[in-house]
Amino acid sequence: MRLFTYLLPILLFLSACGGGEQQQQEPQTTEPETQPAQAQTEDVRTIDIIGVDQMKYVVKEEDELIGTAGTIKTSNGETYLLLKNIEADPGEQLRIRLTTVSDLPSSAMAHNWILLKMGVDPADFSKAATQAKTNDYIPQDRTGDIITHTDLAAGGETVEVTFTIPEETGEYDYLCSFPGHFTGGMKGKLVVQ
Ligand SMILES: [Cu+2]
């Protein structure tokens, strides 16, 4: 109420002189435009995952919706938590942000995050993926088995994917398809419940 009575004379003034003082007008025009964009970014739950040379997905902090098992120390002296699984609600929007920590060249060390449809054998999928080097280890004849995936991230790079969690509850396998990484333990379960 007080704001309105304060603004009214200004609005009357502006309409009277055909848009004089821009300083008064600016907050009114910019606020509604920037707010929805900010809200959209902040609303999506984001899980920051780090891929390390030990061929593991790790995280920096505990979170009640992710499961961890033990710690791992990397060559740069950082200690991380080993990521085992991620919990999510059916239909939820989720962002996976994957950063690779490595000093190795991309040909030797890069990671991705691939979420498979329920029931797809991750070992079988990773075997097929090793033959798909020219397509960043995404086997083109198996795209029907994938719900979503990130690009490959080499050392120092971050990739992300935002997607909708399937409605069907249960466990979905995720893995890194860089050769040897699945068998090295770069895998986990997305638990939808
Ligand atoms: Cu990997």
Side-chain angles (χ1 to χ4, degrees):
M1 193 63 179
R2 200 190 297 164
L3 184 70
F4 183 72
T5 51
Y6 169 70
L7 283 174
L8 196 59
I10 297 170
L11 288 170
L12 288 171
F13 170 76
L14 284 174
S15 57
C17 68
E21 279 188 53
Q22 282 197 341
Q23 264 189 333
Q24 299 287 357
Q25 238 173 336
E26 254 173 41
Q28 286 180 335
T29 52
T30 55
E31 253 179 76
E33 279 168 27
T34 53
Q35 265 177 349
Q38 275 176 355
Q40 208 177 17
T41 315
E42 284 159 18
D43 275 356
V44 178
R45 177 157 74 102
T46 302
I47 300 179
D48 280 297
I49 302 175
I50 299 156
V52 294
D53 285 351
Q54 288 97 326
M55 297 180 287
K56 299 284 186 289
Y57 290 122
V58 301
V59 291
K60 273 186 183 163
E61 290 166 15
E62 298 268 9
D63 181 314
E64 59 180 13
L65 289 172
I66 59 175
T68 58
T71 57
I72 196 163
K73 200 169 182 178
T74 58
S75 51
N76 63 7
E78 293 258 10
T79 300
Y80 298 104
L81 300 161
L82 272 166
L83 178 67
K84 293 297 283 182
N85 59 62
I86 298 166
E87 285 179 36
D89 294 326
E92 182 188 356
Q93 283 280 105
L94 187 69
R95 178 185 294 120
I96 299 291
R97 197 157 49 200
L98 172 68
T99 300
T100 296
V101 173
S102 180
D103 293 327
L104 297 167
S106 60
S107 57
M109 188 59 63
H111 306 293
N112 59 15
W113 188 88
I114 303 175
L115 180 65
L116 299 177
K117 288 185 180 170
M118 195 184 285
V120 176
D121 180 0
D124 189 49
F125 182 91
S126 83
K127 226 176 276 173
T130 57
Q131 307 300 316
K133 187 181 180 184
T134 54
N135 198 42
D136 286 347
Y137 301 110
I138 304 293
Q140 270 160 324
D141 57 341
R142 300 289 298 268
T143 51
D145 292 339
I146 300 171
I147 294 173
T148 192
H149 70 88
T150 69
D151 290 335
L152 276 174
E157 292 179 348
T158 298
V159 291
E160 64 171 52
V161 65
T162 304
F163 65 102
T164 306
I165 298 293
E167 292 293 339
E168 194 180 349
T169 58
E171 294 187 348
Y172 298 75
D173 286 288
Y174 61 80
L175 74 150
C176 171
S177 69
F178 197 90
H181 289 200
F182 171 77
T183 45
M186 211 156 186
K187 58 184 178 176
K189 303 262 188 204
L190 173 78
V191 183
V192 181
Q193 58 190 16

